[in-house]
Amino acid sequence: MAPSVRLSPAARSLFDEPLAIAVQGLGPRQQVTLRASLRDETGELFQASARYQAGDDGQLDLARCPALPGGSFSGLEPMGLLWALQPQKPFWRLIKRDVQSPFLLQLEVLEGHGERPGRLLAQAQHERAFLRDGVRRVPVREGRIRATLFLPPGEDTFPGIIDIHGFGGGLSEPRASLLASHGFATLALAYYGFEDLPQQPKELHLEYFEEAVNYMLQHSQVKGPGVGLLGFSKGAEVCLAMAAFLKNITAVASLNAPIAATCIPFSYKDKVIPTVAIYEHKAKATNSKFLDYSDVIDDPFQAPGNQSRIPLEKAEAQFLFIVGQDDHIVKSEYYATEACKLLQAQGKGNFHILSYPGTGHCIDPPFFPLYPIGSHPVFHKRAVLGGELRAYSKAQVHAWSQVQAFFKKYL
């Protein structure tokens, strides 16, 4: 029998879901290298490889067979070929702009364990999709709102979430599309640098975000009485400000958030939150000559930085703070801990912190490749974002399941 790759699901799976990989038809205890490849929308290549030995029966099941040393990972890691994918171009991030088309994953089985790949024994292709069958993608241009709404299959009402991306502007849809595939009506909301929204806003008016909340609550397929918010970095900071000032926000999941206004002040009616001071000269060069920016922001829990702190004690929402202990952009663990101390001092228990070792600033849905060094969102210099491959891959999977459980509980 010729070797062949067996995948489950066979042809297509959601990007954030596990994929079972096995090889059959090998020789007894045959040594092979498995290689996974994926090209992004610009054509850049991401690859991972691992060394394996088949069983006595010529079968190789990644759920039962550990990878041997010498590849991108070792040990029993059924999804290692996906979470260990790394760009061939240094400091490149895997980004999905068009969620209506899947990524195409190539799997190859190569003979032996040599430095140079041996003969090709078998191969397979698999689509990693962002939309489950039946999920609807609806562009939203209502009033000032610039967004995309993703609705799960069916005519029911669904818990509503507004998903807000980090610094850099534009509209990011992957997280929202995946959440809709798991049963949430999710609005991916742009707030600057997109279409006719301001390119470089002088202030972020919370009235704009209030319009988005009202849009969701008036939608016939969004289950009220409130909505959830999911934000990353600057987007999480926006979510915290929304919870502090706006009504009908029930639950906020925050990924590595500053707890203060950074770079762009917030305004709501006659109230303004000024930006916290950021000192570029406090960046530290690491051994690898990249810059560590973790100490450049004034402490929002001490004067004078506390004038920029978002008053979370005013919020009625439940908070889930997700923080990477190796975040070198924002002191997210310190911020979340201090914010929760303040809430506790007010007699509130509406918070929970999930803190992940070996995890940096970027916390994406499962199986997005680690992005440990990249361009700083504000200074546009090469910066340490943090994170370590295996720990981060575990954190992604755990955090994503916790985000969904949190919204199911409170929405």
Side-chain angles (χ1 to χ4, degrees):
M1 184 165 86
S4 63
V5 180
R6 193 174 70 244
L7 303 174
S8 178
R12 185 182 174 96
S13 55
L14 276 182
F15 192 89
D16 62 348
E17 289 184 335
L19 175 64
I21 303 171
V23 184
Q24 53 198 16
L26 296 169
R29 308 192 70 74
Q30 183 174 356
Q31 292 192 335
V32 291
T33 299
L34 267 59
R35 184 165 67 191
S37 309
L38 178 154
R39 286 194 185 275
D40 72 6
E41 290 162 331
T42 68
E44 290 297 335
L45 180 65
F46 288 74
Q47 274 191 334
S49 66
R51 297 175 172 187
Y52 286 98
Q53 183 170 326
D56 291 332
D57 56 359
Q59 304 283 333
L60 171 57
D61 182 345
L62 272 54
R64 292 204 291 271
C65 188
L68 304 170
S72 305
F73 59 92
S74 60
L76 188 63
E77 295 289 351
M79 286 296 285
L81 285 169
L82 283 90
W83 61 247
L85 285 167
Q86 283 292 284
Q88 301 304 289
K89 182 178 184 174
F91 319 120
W92 193 256
R93 187 175 189 185
L94 184 65
I95 291 173
K96 190 74 178 111
R97 301 211 184 277
D98 175 13
V99 297
Q100 295 176 96
S101 69
F103 278 131
L104 193 61
L105 182 72
Q106 303 269 7
L107 289 160
E108 296 168 300
V109 184
L110 304 157
E111 199 169 44
H113 287 170
E115 284 307 309
R116 302 186 72 80
R119 185 167 61 92
L120 180 67
L121 301 175
Q123 60 183 330
Q125 283 193 344
H126 186 85
E127 290 184 347
R128 296 288 278 170
F130 287 80
L131 294 175
R132 197 185 290 290
D133 286 349
V135 170
R136 284 158 293 158
R137 178 185 177 275
V138 184
V140 178
R141 305 290 182 270
E142 297 255 338
R144 289 180 295 176
I145 305 169
R146 301 293 174 261
T148 306
L149 178 63
F150 292 92
L151 291 166
E155 298 305 312
D156 298 346
T157 59
F158 304 100
I161 297 171
I162 299 175
D163 177 32
I164 305 181
H165 207 62
F167 205 75
L171 180 62
S172 174
E173 298 183 356
R175 221 169 32 199
S177 64
L178 290 170
L179 280 172
S181 298
H182 295 296
F184 299 94
T186 313
L187 187 75
L189 182 65
Y191 56 108
Y192 77 101
F194 180 73
E195 293 186 356
D196 57 352
L197 293 174
Q199 286 305 308
Q200 290 174 319
K202 300 281 180 283
E203 279 186 340
L204 290 178
H205 301 284
L206 291 175
E207 288 85 351
Y208 171 79
F209 300 94
E210 190 168 40
E211 218 175 295
V213 173
N214 294 337
Y215 168 82
M216 286 296 275
L217 290 176
Q218 285 158 12
H219 196 284
S220 60
Q221 284 195 263
V222 174
K223 190 188 286 185
V227 297
L229 306 177
L230 172 62
F232 159 65
S233 192
K234 177 72 183 179
E237 173 198 311
V238 171
C239 291
L240 298 177
M242 290 169 72
F245 290 98
L246 308 182
K247 293 185 177 66
N248 300 319
I249 290 163
T250 309
V252 179
S254 150
L255 303 165
N256 285 336
I259 307 284
T262 59
C263 303
I264 313 168
F266 290 108
S267 71
Y268 184 62
K269 297 182 176 163
D270 53 359
K271 171 91 179 130
V272 173
I273 303 183
T275 55
V276 68
I278 297 181
Y279 304 100
E280 190 176 359
H281 68 269
K282 289 190 177 178
K284 301 186 288 280
T286 62
N287 301 342
S288 51
K289 304 287 186 289
F290 302 117
L291 291 166
D292 178 337
Y293 285 97
S294 49
D295 281 325
V296 301
I297 301 175
D298 243 354
D299 188 335
F301 298 95
Q302 309 284 337
N306 57 358
Q307 294 167 11
S308 304
R309 186 178 67 77
I310 294 163
L312 290 184
E313 58 278 6
K314 292 184 175 173
E316 298 296 315
Q318 292 288 329
F319 291 107
L320 176 64
F321 293 100
I322 295 174
V323 299
Q325 291 177 17
D326 193 36
D327 184 349
H328 289 268
I329 299 294
V330 173
K331 284 185 162 172
S332 44
E333 188 179 35
Y334 167 69
Y335 290 169
T337 306
E338 292 300 309
C340 292
K341 280 184 195 165
L342 284 177
L343 291 171
Q344 211 162 10
Q346 303 262 340
K348 295 192 163 200
N350 58 334
F351 55 84
H352 185 64
I353 300 176
L354 288 173
S355 182
Y356 294 102
T359 300
H361 187 61
C362 297
I363 302 180
D364 289 311
F367 314 122
F368 269 93
L370 174 68
Y371 181 58
I373 292 165
S375 177
H376 190 279
V378 179
F379 300 117
H380 307 295
K381 291 180 181 162
R382 196 141 287 156
V384 179
L385 306 178
E388 177 268 310
L389 195 55
R390 190 182 301 249
Y392 169 66
S393 72
K394 302 271 185 281
Q396 276 177 313
V397 171
H398 187 263
W400 190 236
S401 69
Q402 293 302 299
V403 164
Q404 291 173 55
F406 170 74
F407 285 132
K408 281 191 177 114
K409 180 175 179 181
Y410 290 111
L411 298 180

